[in-house]
Amino acid sequence: MRQTRVSAPSNIALIKYMGKVDPALNLPANGSLSMTLNQLCTYVEITETATATRWLAEAPAELPSGTFSGAVRVPKLTEAGILKVIRHHERVLAAVFELFPVHGLSLAPITPVEIRTANTFPADSGIASSASSFAALTFGTALHSALDPKAFTKVWEENLEFRRSFAKVSRQGSGSSCRSFEGPWVLWEKGAAAGLITPMPEMVDFVVLIATGPKPVTSTQAHHLVQTSPLWEGRTERVAERLKTVEAALGEGDIITLSRVAWAEMWEMHSLFHTCSDPFTYWEPGTLKVIKWLAPYIQEGGAEGSELTPPIVTMDAGANVHILVAAAEATKWQTILNKAFPEFEILQDTQGTGAKVLPALTKPVGTS
Ligand code: DP6
């Protein structure tokens, strides 16, 4: 039985993808910019089967334990969610027929498959699980379709255009997933995402987990709703300006500017949620507590008496707060965050470089 096992990380946007000009293709109303994560990821296992292609609510076998105590969560998918996974698998299969011949790759016989997925973080936690899920499903399906997986991996690693073509296909499954194929810093404009070369120091992301229950509004619904807010007007232009500022700041390794712009962008996106035609909020009391505590660190000159560089604070469509800091200051941040918020679990991850092939099973599938 042929089996393919991959992982793809989530990513955290400083400039947000919020609002679409083409919902069918997930074409964004504005550019976005993110940092690719590492161990906050989705594992996907694709196994040939004799029956029909289906998604199973089971974890893939023998996963690397990583820093999250080896605890992986199988997402709870609705019928519609499962259908979206199967449709995306088919979308990637259609793409390999076009893309493989151009890159001298041969196709494996296409058979029905069983798809198993698991995340290293709680779904619905404001860590973009759709980003890592669709990136992993895209990469896994493409790799599984290759007659010679080693030849595929070589092209994948050496040819950025090949990888970016699959990022475009992934975008159609879930927009933010197109930023999980490179890293650490990725800019997504119009249809395509590409990594940026920067002198930024190695970064760490702390995620203060305030709520992990189902979200009141999915991010797909939010993309539509934000356009009904009176604050929507001028957003495309504002984001274009912010992107220029952020690109320049990344080019100079200027964390202070990134901190201020990300803070403004986080408030703007959540203000759009709070002021749309059917107002909603992802904020919980704990969110406000964390944000109030962080505010003095963002101000000019940093928090009084603190030697620490201002953190880059942001939130996705969820209640949880991401705090990005230079790895060199991560231990100090870990200590003060744990002291300030003993009631909340705080995940910690580093920057990453995108989707990866997982090590082969020690006991291959189909053997007993
Ligand atoms: C708030 O990529 O989840 O995380 O394309 O409809 O699947 P779909 O939306 P999705 O939106 C992510 C929104 C966000 C901001 C961001 O990651 O840029």
Side-chain angles (χ1 to χ4, degrees):
M1 261 326 157
R2 252 167 16 91
Q3 189 178 65
T4 301
R5 293 153 42 76
V6 300
S7 71
S10 186
N11 62 71
I12 177 68
L14 269 50
I15 303 295
K16 307 293 185 182
Y17 155 48
M18 190 37 65
K20 305 181 187 183
V21 286
D22 185 337
L25 292 174
N26 287 338
L27 287 173
N30 55 260
S32 58
L33 189 142
S34 58
M35 188 181 89
T36 305
L37 297 172
N38 186 22
Q39 300 222 28
L40 290 169
C41 67
T42 299
Y43 297 116
V44 166
E45 185 178 85
I46 299 178
T47 314
E48 200 178 319
T49 174
T51 53
T53 292
R54 54 202 182 121
W55 175 84
L56 294 166
E58 294 168 7
E62 275 184 43
L63 293 172
S65 53
T67 54
F68 299 103
S69 348
V72 294
R73 283 101 162 166
V74 176
K76 289 189 185 73
L77 294 188
T78 58
E79 289 283 305
I82 296 173
L83 199 63
K84 216 174 153 190
V85 167
I86 306 295
R87 288 246 167 86
H88 189 67
H89 174 73
E90 287 164 1
R91 179 183 287 130
V92 181
L93 288 180
V96 297
F97 276 93
E98 269 183 44
L99 293 167
F100 277 18
V102 182
H103 295 275
L105 292 170
S106 306
L107 284 160
I110 303 297
T111 68
V113 293
E114 286 174 349
I115 302 169
R116 292 176 176 80
T117 58
N119 300 327
T120 56
F121 51 87
D124 284 326
S125 62
I127 298 163
S129 66
S130 69
S132 54
S133 306
F134 280 86
L137 183 60
T138 305
F139 180 52
T141 304
L143 176 60
H144 191 78
S145 309
L147 186 63
D148 179 351
K150 282 211 176 89
F152 172 92
T153 310
K154 192 166 184 299
V155 179
W156 182 269
E157 276 164 10
E158 290 174 3
N159 189 326
L160 262 182
E161 284 319 306
F162 182 65
R163 211 184 310 169
R164 288 177 185 167
S165 306
F166 280 103
K168 280 187 190 166
V169 178
S170 201
R171 188 203 75 223
Q172 295 177 47
S174 177
S176 53
S177 72
C178 74
R179 298 186 309 233
S180 282
F181 289 79
E182 295 178 53
W185 297 99
V186 177
L187 174 66
W188 168 24
E189 283 186 302
K190 301 204 168 78
L196 298 172
I197 295 169
T198 81
M200 283 289 287
E202 168 90 18
M203 299 295 284
V204 162
D205 181 19
F206 291 101
V207 192
V208 186
L209 281 187
I210 290 151
T212 56
K215 296 195 277 195
V217 173
T218 66
S219 47
T220 304
Q221 290 166 323
H223 283 290
H224 170 70
L225 283 167
V226 288
Q227 305 200 28
T228 65
S229 160
L231 306 179
W232 176 256
E233 207 185 316
R235 168 137 174 98
T236 312
E237 294 74 22
R238 273 194 304 282
V239 173
E241 278 305 309
R242 265 183 209 142
L243 268 178
K244 273 195 220 151
T245 309
V246 164
E247 271 196 86
L250 280 173
E252 287 164 15
D254 173 1
I255 296 186
I256 296 176
T257 300
L258 293 174
S259 163
R260 297 193 72 81
V261 179
W263 182 261
E265 174 69 0
M266 169 193 75
W267 279 99
E268 180 165 317
M269 182 176 77
H270 283 267
S271 301
L272 289 168
F273 301 152
H274 299 164
T275 55
C276 67
S277 60
D278 295 310
F280 62 96
T281 188
Y282 293 108
W283 289 52
E284 294 292 335
T287 310
L288 188 58
K289 183 176 176 192
V290 175
I291 292 295
K292 271 183 92 168
W293 184 88
L294 285 163
Y297 287 93
I298 310 296
Q299 74 196 5
E300 238 159 278
E304 218 181 300
S306 168
E307 303 274 283
L308 294 166
T309 314
I312 300 170
V313 175
T314 189
M315 292 170 65
D316 263 346
N320 306 314
V321 182
H322 290 251
I323 304 160
L324 281 69
V325 304
E329 292 187 344
T331 310
K332 285 189 184 145
W333 275 104
Q334 188 183 29
T335 308
I336 57 170
L337 288 172
N338 280 331
K339 198 164 157 227
F341 308 111
E343 69 274 46
F344 300 129
E345 188 186 349
I346 302 179
L347 304 179
Q348 185 176 340
D349 199 10
T350 54
Q351 65 184 40
T353 53
K356 287 193 185 88
V357 182
L358 286 180
L361 289 177
T362 46
K363 199 167 92 183
V365 68
T367 59
S368 52

